[in-house]
Amino acid sequence: MSAFPYKKTSLALIISASACPALADTDNIDTEFRVTPSQMVQGGNGLIQTPTARMREEGGLAINYTDNGEYRFWSVNLQLFDWMEATARYTDVRTQFYSDVESFSGDQTLKDKGLDVKFRLWKEGYYTPDISVGFRDFGGTGFFESEYINASKSFGPFDVHLGLGWGYLGTADDITNPLCEFRDSYCDRPTGFSGRGGKVDYDQFFKGTTAFFGGIEYQTPWEPLTLKLEFEGNDYSVDRAGELEQDSRWNVGAVYRWKEFDFSMNYQRGNTFGFGVTYRFNMNSLSQVKYDKPPQTLMARQVPDTIDKVDKSRLYNTLYRSAGFALSDASIEEDKAVFYGTQFAYRDQDEAMERIGRIVASELPDSVTDYHIVENSGGQPMVDTIIDAEQFIAAARYESIDSDITKSYVRTTPSKEVMDAYEPTNTHGLFYGANFFWTQSFGNPEDFYLYQTGLILNAGYAFNNKLSVMGSARVTLLDNFDKFNFLVDNEETALPRVRTRVREYVAENKVGMDTAFIHYKDNISENVFGQVYAGYLETMFAGVGGEILYRPVDSRLAYGFDINYVKQRDPYNQLSTLDYDAITGHASVYWQPEMLKGTQLTVSAGQFLAKDKGVNIDFAKRFDSGIVVGAYAAFTDVSSEEYGEGSFTKGFYISIPSDLFLLQPSKGRGTFPWVPISRDGGQMLGRPVRLIDSTAVRSPFYD
């Protein structure tokens, strides 16, 4: 018998039962004894098996492992905004094998990846609850595919939750789907799993059986301990592990919090024990103490009478040592001083400019009324920050209680006069460097985790600030790509093997030439930049190409176009190419929307390496610490059947500033990708130089 016999319940009644028309600001709610949100079994803010409407502070990251009978879950939950959370999850089904073909996957148990998102529709007030809507496992094979709407309301140390679930969360079938009242197609939901995965089943959303779920959390007087009681909407009749026995829909659990860790235990279905551990931190507040000299004081400022008495050597050296500004040219006149250089230490523009301005103001006479700080990239002037000396000095000396030093300067495109006066001292010569790289892929049939790590050694020669030759060698230190056997299955595929030959490139070239090319760049007009290049452009392709980019200073929009003719490199002879060739290129829009703080959206439409046509969308979010997390997906004219497992190209990445680990300021970064499954459709050329990166100082996002 159903736990809820009255199945003709309307959606309006459910929502009105959990909300009240009276409104109040959540700032008035007593938060001293409120329950702190914790992670549910599958990842995401919730009880045990069911989500709640709760959100954490923006930037909150939770890394979870849970062990739950037939399932083990690894998940990462990220609070992208205070109104949106996202969860990426891998599931290990202990009772099933990855495939029936031993030569393909051995005895590896079944692995499944899933993505969840949740959005807050209404923020809790004094009388009203948090209300959220969520989508579970919407981009995977559909093992746990669900949609839900739920509400959460706090009462002192108690947090009460009530929700309505569809799909996996609604298999108990408590009530008739309320949406059936509007359209009959919502009454039934296709059963089974989505096979190759990766396809979003929009046509299934909010369809089929529906059930209530919810529960209570209690913050005990002992601060580290929280208790949970849950009533779930799943009856476990359609689980991927097989139909599971459920003796009760009531689950109980407890969470013990110690420093940055949560340890959980639970008893589910009336017959199953589970446990888990969560490590959590906030990416907004993450920081590292720095041992750094304070900015130059101007309180006892004593400067020479004329520019002839300026100690230029001391000025230039101090700019390098104390402001992280490496000069390439400078001009000091009676009323104006121009300094060309590269900022290599301070990620924060305002901090860098204040340090530079204070040093310049402490060395130059009062007759110099304007300081031009021209920041270069790749030897080319990109941004001219013009400092009003009088305003800057007054603000730096705190002569007014409302002084704002940032209002004493403006950023602009270098004028023709400033560009023509640029005569860099070192326009040619050798350059070199080294970078750490890490490539990884999860959820493969050969092995759950494939990785490659090592060093990329870079070197080149600059003929001037526009023309250079450069190259890189990839030194693999550790990898297990020898397990990747996708190529040797002799399967006829619809697409050229532009990426799935990765095992050959990695295994055959532990130390090898990654790139070797000639490169020319120039500033075409005030806000337009261009480049051309030719040679071995990336590990798998060689060719020729070019790019133009329109990017005004501090604009939230930039536009670019690249076109390339490439041939596939021979993995067994690094200097040779194979017969396969392609024209690939994209028109791109780069947008930093004002309504979404700290985000960048990149949309690139064109032809990919396998000659499939479509669009690649990249969304990145930057937190206050400088950490950037991003996700991308390519949608092309290749069908999910032609693409293969995963249905379409997608991936995630996290970019971490090096100064979060260093005691001195630094502008370096490390990027760590996560590619669930890499196939041949929707693959972009890894161009060795991108103008959006080399012009980043004009409208910084990562710094």
Side-chain angles (χ1 to χ4, degrees):
M1 172 182 272
S2 171
F4 289 86
Y6 300 102
K7 298 183 67 174
K8 280 291 182 182
T9 305
S10 71
L11 185 61
L13 177 60
I14 295 168
I15 296 176
S16 62
S18 60
C20 174
L23 304 179
D25 196 306
T26 54
D27 293 340
N28 295 325
I29 299 174
D30 182 7
T31 59
E32 183 178 357
F33 300 106
R34 292 190 67 175
V35 173
T36 300
S38 56
Q39 298 288 294
M40 59 182 169
V41 166
Q42 297 188 13
N45 295 318
L47 290 164
I48 302 167
Q49 284 284 348
T50 63
T52 67
R54 293 304 187 198
M55 301 283 178
R56 292 170 294 149
E57 291 183 357
E58 182 177 311
L61 183 72
I63 303 171
N64 315 290
Y65 169 76
T66 56
D67 194 297
N68 190 46
E70 293 78 8
Y71 296 107
R72 287 182 292 186
F73 298 101
W74 294 267
S75 64
V76 177
N77 175 258
L78 173 61
Q79 195 75 47
L80 277 168
F81 306 96
D82 62 1
W83 48 267
M84 176 188 176
E85 70 167 21
T87 302
R89 173 181 55 259
Y90 269 99
T91 304
D92 178 13
V93 186
R94 282 191 173 106
T95 58
Q96 305 287 335
F97 285 114
Y98 196 102
S99 76
D100 297 329
V101 182
E102 185 176 353
S103 61
F104 181 56
S105 57
D107 60 357
Q108 183 182 184
T109 53
L110 178 61
K111 306 295 192 301
D112 175 67
K113 58 187 176 295
L115 297 173
D116 307 344
V117 292
K118 183 173 71 179
F119 304 93
R120 185 174 60 205
L121 304 179
W122 190 275
K123 189 174 183 180
E124 183 180 13
Y126 192 84
Y127 296 107
T128 57
D130 268 344
I131 298 178
S132 295
V133 61
F135 303 84
R136 175 189 284 186
D137 208 2
F138 69 93
T141 52
F143 283 17
F144 309 103
E145 189 174 63
S146 310
E147 304 81 49
Y148 60 88
I149 183 168
N150 55 3
S152 299
K153 187 74 182 77
S154 63
F155 301 93
F158 294 95
D159 214 13
V160 180
H161 314 283
L162 176 64
L164 185 66
W166 289 259
Y168 188 79
L169 288 171
T171 56
D173 196 15
D174 289 327
I175 66 170
T176 299
N177 186 344
L179 297 177
C180 286
E181 299 177 8
F182 302 99
R183 185 174 294 178
D184 290 342
S185 60
Y186 283 97
C187 298
D188 298 308
R189 186 187 190 104
T191 58
F193 307 105
S194 302
R196 290 181 179 270
K199 186 178 179 181
V200 179
D201 298 321
Y202 302 103
D203 57 341
Q204 296 189 21
F205 284 177
F206 300 102
K207 291 184 177 180
T209 58
T210 316
F212 288 105
F213 64 84
I216 299 175
E217 293 178 275
Y218 171 57
Q219 172 59 60
T220 69
W222 186 32
E223 185 177 357
L225 182 64
T226 301
L227 303 178
K228 298 183 177 185
L229 175 67
E230 171 188 76
F231 181 78
E232 62 174 315
N234 178 27
D235 65 4
Y236 295 90
S237 60
V238 292
D239 265 61
R240 189 62 177 87
E243 185 173 355
L244 305 181
E245 182 179 355
Q246 184 185 52
D247 297 328
S248 172
R249 288 174 64 184
W250 292 96
N251 304 324
V252 295
V255 176
Y256 175 79
R257 180 159 292 188
W258 176 72
K259 296 184 178 179
E260 289 79 29
F261 291 91
D262 288 351
F263 300 94
S264 62
M265 294 190 68
N266 55 70
Y267 184 64
Q268 305 173 44
R269 310 200 308 262
N271 55 37
T272 302
F273 283 99
F275 64 89
V277 60
T278 296
Y279 176 72
R280 50 186 166 71
F281 62 91
N282 190 287
M283 290 195 290
N284 261 333
S285 57
L286 199 64
S287 63
Q288 169 65 52
V289 174
K290 294 288 185 289
Y291 291 93
D292 195 16
K293 294 180 180 179
Q296 175 76 44
T297 180
L298 298 181
M299 300 306 291
R301 178 173 175 261
Q302 293 182 339
V303 294
D305 298 330
T306 66
I307 60 172
D308 295 334
K309 298 180 181 179
V310 173
D311 189 335
K312 294 182 179 179
S313 176
R314 182 175 65 192
L315 171 59
Y316 300 163
N317 286 327
T318 306
L319 284 172
Y320 184 89
R321 293 195 312 269
S322 300
F325 194 65
L327 285 174
S328 56
D329 191 19
S331 171
I332 301 176
E333 301 175 4
E334 193 65 37
D335 61 346
K336 179 179 70 175
V338 185
F339 302 92
Y340 305 84
T342 303
Q343 173 58 239
F344 63 86
Y346 295 96
R347 291 190 296 113
D348 185 283
Q349 294 179 62
D350 292 329
E351 180 181 7
M353 204 50 56
E354 180 175 353
R355 284 179 172 272
I356 293 171
R358 283 174 174 270
I359 292 169
V360 171
S362 68
E363 297 287 349
L364 296 186
D366 290 332
S367 64
V368 181
T369 58
D370 293 316
Y371 310 147
H372 291 253
I373 314 301
V374 183
E375 189 164 358
N376 300 336
S377 179
Q380 290 188 308
M382 290 286 168
V383 180
D384 183 4
T385 302
I386 305 174
I387 301 176
D388 183 302
E390 184 177 358
Q391 289 186 35
F392 182 91
I393 293 169
R397 292 166 61 95
Y398 311 106
E399 294 179 1
S400 172
I401 58 173
D402 58 351
S403 295
D404 184 353
I405 206 166
T406 63
K407 293 182 179 180
S408 65
Y409 53 82
V410 294
R411 285 165 46 90
T412 185
T413 298
S415 65
K416 187 177 186 303
E417 179 186 2
V418 169
M419 294 288 288
D420 291 343
Y422 182 47
E423 297 180 356
T425 54
N426 296 314
T427 60
H428 63 277
L430 288 169
F431 56 89
Y432 55 87
N435 293 302
F436 170 81
F437 77 88
W438 186 282
T439 302
Q440 57 188 357
S441 180
F442 292 85
N444 299 278
E446 302 88 348
D447 196 279
F448 176 68
Y449 181 53
L450 297 178
Y451 65 90
Q452 182 192 24
T453 183
L455 296 174
I456 294 181
L457 308 177
N458 306 287
Y461 183 85
F463 298 98
N464 50 50
N465 64 339
K466 297 180 180 179
L467 179 64
S468 61
V469 292
M470 60 187 78
S472 62
R474 182 179 294 258
V475 181
T476 300
L477 301 178
L478 294 171
D479 80 276
N480 66 345
F481 268 91
D482 59 310
K483 299 180 180 180
F484 186 80
N485 61 16
F486 189 81
L487 178 68
V488 299
D489 59 11
N490 294 319
E491 178 185 352
E492 291 296 327
T493 62
L495 294 174
R497 304 274 197 176
V498 297
R499 290 301 184 209
T500 50
R501 300 189 65 172
V502 60
R503 187 187 70 165
E504 294 171 280
Y505 288 95
V506 172
E508 295 298 321
N509 303 290
K510 298 294 184 181
V511 178
M513 181 181 68
D514 199 47
T515 63
F517 60 98
I518 186 168
H519 179 245
Y520 179 84
K521 62 181 184 296
D522 198 5
N523 188 343
I524 299 174
S525 64
E526 181 176 332
N527 295 313
V528 180
F529 303 84
Q531 65 169 350
V532 291
Y533 41 80
Y536 300 95
L537 304 180
E538 54 139 283
T539 305
M540 301 184 189
F541 284 90
V544 298
E547 180 186 14
I548 58 173
L549 178 74
Y550 172 77
R551 190 176 201 177
V553 170
D554 290 335
S555 172
R556 293 185 175 274
L557 277 170
Y559 306 92
F561 177 77
D562 69 274
I563 185 71
N564 311 272
Y565 170 75
V566 296
K567 296 196 71 175
Q568 192 165 22
R569 294 174 64 179
D570 187 343
Y572 301 98
N573 185 340
Q574 297 180 56
L575 298 178
S576 298
T577 58
L578 304 175
D579 290 337
Y580 181 76
D581 62 352
I583 294 177
T584 179
H586 294 82
S588 300
V589 177
Y590 310 88
W591 181 34
Q592 298 179 33
E594 189 172 4
M595 64 277 199
L596 294 177
K597 176 187 174 185
T599 62
Q600 179 170 276
L601 179 66
T602 302
V603 180
S604 301
Q607 181 162 287
F608 295 85
L609 283 172
K611 301 180 183 178
D612 49 331
K613 300 174 180 63
V615 61
N616 186 86
I617 301 173
D618 184 297
F619 179 82
K621 164 69 176 175
R622 185 190 66 241
F623 296 97
D624 291 347
S625 63
I627 294 177
V628 174
V629 296
Y632 62 88
F635 305 95
T636 75
D637 55 4
V638 173
S639 68
S640 58
E641 289 75 18
E642 290 174 312
Y643 181 88
E645 185 178 3
S647 297
F648 61 93
T649 288
K650 52 192 168 293
F652 309 87
Y653 56 89
I654 180 169
S655 177
I656 304 175
S658 58
D659 72 351
L660 289 179
F661 306 95
L662 302 175
L663 298 178
Q664 294 292 326
S666 169
K667 290 189 71 174
R669 277 186 171 273
T671 300
F672 301 89
W674 170 32
V675 181
I677 291 180
S678 182
R679 293 294 182 249
D680 294 307
Q683 295 291 343
M684 301 182 76
L685 176 68
R687 292 180 288 127
V689 181
R690 301 195 317 154
L691 288 178
I692 195 66
D693 298 326
S694 60
T695 63
V697 296
R698 290 180 68 85
S699 184
F701 175 74
Y702 281 86
D703 294 331

